[in-house]
Amino acid sequence: MAWSARALAAVTGLARGPVVAGSARGWAVVWPARVLVRSVLLMAAASAMIFLCTAALPGDAADVLAGGAAAPGELARLRAEQGLDRPVHVRYLDWLSGVLTGDPGVSLITGRPIGELIAERAGVTLTLAVAALVVSVPLTAALAWAAVRGPRWLRPAANASIVAGAALPQAVVAAALVAWLSAAWGLFPPVSMLPAGQPAWSRPGLLVLPVLTLALPTTAYGAALLRGAIADVLARPYVRDAELRGLPPAVIALRYVLPMIAAPATRLLAVTLGGLITGAAVAETLFGLAGLGELLVTAISTRDVPVVQSVALLAAGVVVAGLLAADASHRFSEVRLS
């Protein structure tokens, strides 16, 4: 499901739509309505895509509950009890109406409300995602800058690191971290089993390896997108003029580059956060953390489609909300500069 955040970014575009012409008053009236409509359409499209993908999975929860040994009549009864025998469009509209009213339904396997399952595990995933962002954001900026404007001897190494890091699967990164930081040096435990009832942040040593597993590929992916925006800004005449006037690189980066890449960087941050929520599945499963990612993996394996749909839609909502905030920031800066 990690691809859903990137696909959504491709649909929305890390580049903005056309600039709203006119005064700040016109911007304040036209832009919110247009963005609201766009956000609603994006979430509707995401919900339909998520539902259709989960509906296409082979097998269903009735097969899992029956253990593959039930008679056809028993399977039919289980499917009827779970509503799996209804047409796809009826099930979609029923699920969507529940989501809109704050009741995404119950788990087909455990019978527990999905809201409770998400609330129990959201803290672990949120902790991992925020910690991974704290680690990856400065690394992304430094790596992208080094790839574009670093010393000549450093640029090839930085670009090679971006390509290699973005291509490595999370499982490979996790295995390398365990072999290096746990098996070889003994710095951190290879498994991050949290004691029952303890919040994730209460044992920070257990989170180092899963956080790095999330942060390092995210850094490479973000730097690959951000270096192009930095290169475009550095090629502009006013930046070259500042360089000819002898301004230090740090001043140029903070005064001329950072304001121009703030909007695309915020969009990238939104896409990254949504990707981390679903992408945490690998890290949580490998290191034994009971978060939303592990819940997603378990739900997929048991064909508990309402849980899969709710977790995936939550990640899509995070991306759309972040893109909305980034667009608002950019439009506000345009109004101030106009």
Side-chain angles (χ1 to χ4, degrees), residues 264-285:
T266 308
R267 284 180 172 81
L268 175 61
L269 187 66
V271 174
T272 299
L273 182 57
L276 285 173
I277 291 177
T278 50
V282 175
E284 290 176 359
T285 302

Side-chain angles (χ1 to χ4, degrees), residues 1 3-5 8 39-52 54 92 95-104 114 118 274 277-278 292 296 305-321:
M1 289 292 180
W3 54 268
S4 60
L8 188 59
S39 300
V40 170
L41 292 176
L42 282 172
M43 288 303 299
S47 68
M49 183 181 299
I50 290 168
F51 190 90
L52 290 175
T54 53
Y92 170 68
W95 169 70
L96 186 60
S97 64
V99 169
L100 294 176
T101 56
D103 181 18
I114 295 174
I118 292 178
I277 291 177
T278 50
L292 291 178
L296 183 65
V305 289
V307 176
V308 177
Q309 294 158 357
S310 299
V311 175
L313 191 64
L314 176 62
V318 171
V319 175
V320 171

Side-chain angles (χ1 to χ4, degrees), residues 185-201:
W185 289 8
L187 297 178
F188 306 104
V191 180
S192 303
M193 298 293 289
L194 288 169
Q198 286 195 12
W201 57 84

